Amino acid sequence: MRRVALALLLLGCSSDPAPAGPEFVDTAMPRAVDQNPDPGVVEVSLEAKVGPHGFTTGVTTKNAWTYSGTIPGPLIDAKVGDRLIVHLKNSLPETTTIHWHGVRLPAAMDGTMLSQMPIEPGQTFTYEFTLKDAGLFWYHPHMRSDVQVNAGLYGVIRVRGPNEPVVDREEVVVLDDLSLKADGSIEDYLDDESKMMGRGGDLLLVNGAAARVFTWQPGSRVRLRIVNAANGRFFNLALSGHTFRVIGGDAGFLAKPYDTDHVLVAPGERYDVIVVPQGSAPLALVNDPYDRGHDSGAMPRGTVATIALAGAPTSGPLPTSLPAFTPLADRPTDHTLVLDEKLQPSGDVVFTINGKAFPDVPVIKVPLGETRAFEVKNDAEMDHPFHLHGFFFDIVQKDGKPLDPVLRKDTVIVPKKSSLKFVARFDASGTWVYHCHILEHAESGMMGTIQVE
Ligand code: C2O
Ligand code: CU
Ligand code: CU
């Protein structure tokens, strides 16, 4: 848009009311309203509350938990360098907080029980920090997160940088799954299956609705900003007969985008892909079987959304290289974290790190500004998506072999019976957590802390 304005200035064309429309068709999603006139400040209000939501046609769920009445919560749009101010009112019947997943911020704004007091019902808390990185991030509670996120509390922050690729359309795609009772209410259960695999259900949701339909133009470049907000379900996405060009993920762009027919997205992870829909018949965005352990590979293919094709065909080039980060160098391992599951005499499973469950996992201390290498070993019979707060990490090895290219992420799948090594620079002080992003695992012990001082 700035380029258009500049061109008009150069032409001295002040009488021409050129449409200053967006350069691409943007996703249709409820948005947070910026109440601050300062162009460098985005100031919004959110209210966490219980209310009605239609997850599936003809059914109203009365006990959904929402931010400001929508699922996902309002999309927060900002640009790199903006100051973000969020006034959160808690109108839930219990305490809550917001954690800004993937955002590098001061520890006091991180939303965990180690960084702030729980926000009591009826109270308001203001989060305020500067957005240092471009990318797609998300927000969710960090108190009883297994229950609160499952009931609908999650939303997206999209931070745009100076180097966004040129596309025709952008869709924010928030994945989730859910189980509803016959009366439409959300199941509030924690049976053995959901303790082990995370609460889930047969309803596959995109942006809070089952059977979502997107309408795209044939041949157009559609950028999908995908985030998995499910408690436990991994989405193994495919679009019949099409390839995705993966251009980035949790932490910005990949230097060399690559093509793939499946994108596997674990809870907490983000993927940034471009797809060019072809043909005229509707396409199915599907979730293909993936074995994350404990016989989960036997789950059938499910339809996540339908793509209708309409409008004039368009086309344009896809990005082949993008401005990316400079990876941190590999170094000898400083810390080893072994993820495992232990069957208790009671029959319950406890998820552990180095044999201990949170809060008994020993604190790791790192002097401010230092770089550390971690080896994360998964000895369990299932995959665990490992997530670190406050910092990105560069994955340098997988199963002892160098990873090329190095991936920069904040959440990564550590497959069953395998290991990953990452390097991170701890340049922000405070107490930060790392945990499995299967929320039932995090809540039942697979979480530890890093103290940077
Ligand atoms: Cu999205 Cu502590 O996590
Ligand atoms: Cu997080
Ligand atoms: Cu786990």
Side-chain angles (χ1 to χ4, degrees), residues 429-440:
S429 58
T431 304
W432 306 93
V433 298
Y434 59 89
H435 59 85
C436 175
H437 219 287
I438 295 175
L439 297 173
E440 288 70 10

Side-chain angles (χ1 to χ4, degrees), residues 16-352:
D16 186 1
E23 294 160 12
F24 57 88
V25 181
D26 203 0
T27 198
M29 189 179 262
R31 285 160 200 254
V33 179
D34 180 5
Q35 303 143 356
N36 196 310
D38 187 330
V41 180
V42 174
E43 183 166 4
V44 305
S45 297
L46 295 176
E47 184 185 6
K49 58 178 182 185
V50 183
H53 183 76
F55 290 102
T56 182
T57 354
V59 180
T60 301
T61 298
K62 294 199 192 78
N63 65 340
W65 288 28
T66 73
Y67 288 116
S68 305
T70 68
I71 298 176
L75 171 64
I76 301 174
D77 254 321
K79 52 188 194 313
V80 176
D82 280 352
R83 189 92 182 144
L84 177 64
I85 304 171
V86 181
H87 306 284
L88 171 67
K89 174 157 199 236
N90 179 12
S91 300
L92 300 170
E94 64 182 51
T95 56
T96 193
T97 61
I98 289 187
H99 165 59
W100 310 91
H101 184 126
V103 178
R104 296 192 300 139
L105 40 59
M109 295 289 120
D110 194 42
T112 68
M113 58 294 169
L114 300 172
S115 60
Q116 73 169 103
M117 296 295 288
I119 309 166
E120 297 292 333
Q123 297 302 113
T124 296
F125 184 88
T126 298
Y127 292 94
E128 181 172 350
F129 45 88
T130 299
L131 298 163
K132 299 181 191 172
D133 305 291
L136 192 86
F137 308 102
W138 64 299
Y139 58 94
H140 64 76
H142 226 280
M143 296 211 53
R144 293 221 306 149
S145 62
D146 56 338
V147 173
Q148 297 193 3
V149 175
N150 185 60
L153 288 174
Y154 53 78
V156 168
I157 319 177
R158 182 174 57 174
V159 185
R160 304 193 84 82
N163 297 306
E164 303 291 333
V166 178
V167 293
D168 303 300
R169 179 184 294 274
E170 190 167 311
E171 298 284 6
V172 172
V173 178
V174 187
L175 304 166
D176 191 10
D177 66 340
L178 190 65
S179 174
L180 294 181
K181 289 193 239 180
D183 67 357
S185 61
I186 295 172
E187 283 269 19
D188 187 16
Y189 60 98
L190 188 56
D191 55 11
D192 287 347
E193 169 76 11
S194 49
K195 268 183 205 161
M196 184 60 94
M197 308 308 280
R199 288 175 180 80
D202 295 338
L203 281 182
L204 302 184
L205 307 175
V206 168
N207 302 344
R212 165 106 23 216
V213 179
F214 291 112
T215 305
W216 298 342
Q217 282 167 275
S220 63
R221 293 159 297 180
V222 184
R223 180 178 180 190
L224 305 178
R225 317 284 310 257
I226 304 166
V227 48
N228 185 349
N231 280 34
R233 184 185 286 262
F234 288 38
F235 282 84
N236 190 19
L237 296 176
L239 185 66
S240 38
H242 289 67
T243 55
F244 300 106
R245 176 152 305 180
V246 180
I247 60 167
D250 302 355
F253 297 121
L254 299 172
K256 274 201 188 340
Y258 64 92
D259 290 348
T260 177
D261 55 9
H262 281 82
V263 182
L264 179 65
V265 195
E269 283 191 300
R270 281 90 67 214
Y271 274 86
D272 196 345
V273 309
I274 299 176
V275 67
V276 179
Q278 304 287 0
S280 54
L283 304 169
L285 181 67
V286 297
N287 177 27
D288 267 334
Y290 168 75
D291 181 12
R292 61 177 171 117
H294 298 300
D295 299 325
S296 55
M299 294 217 306
R301 168 182 274 198
T303 298
V304 175
T306 301
I307 316 299
L309 290 163
T314 57
S315 73
L318 294 185
T320 50
S321 72
L322 288 159
F325 58 93
T326 312
L328 297 168
D330 199 352
R331 52 177 277 135
T333 299
D334 299 287
H335 305 281
T336 302
L337 305 173
V338 180
L339 314 180
D340 210 348
E341 53 199 46
K342 272 200 289 199
L343 193 64
Q344 299 294 98
S346 63
D348 265 359
V349 175
V350 179
F351 294 91
T352 58

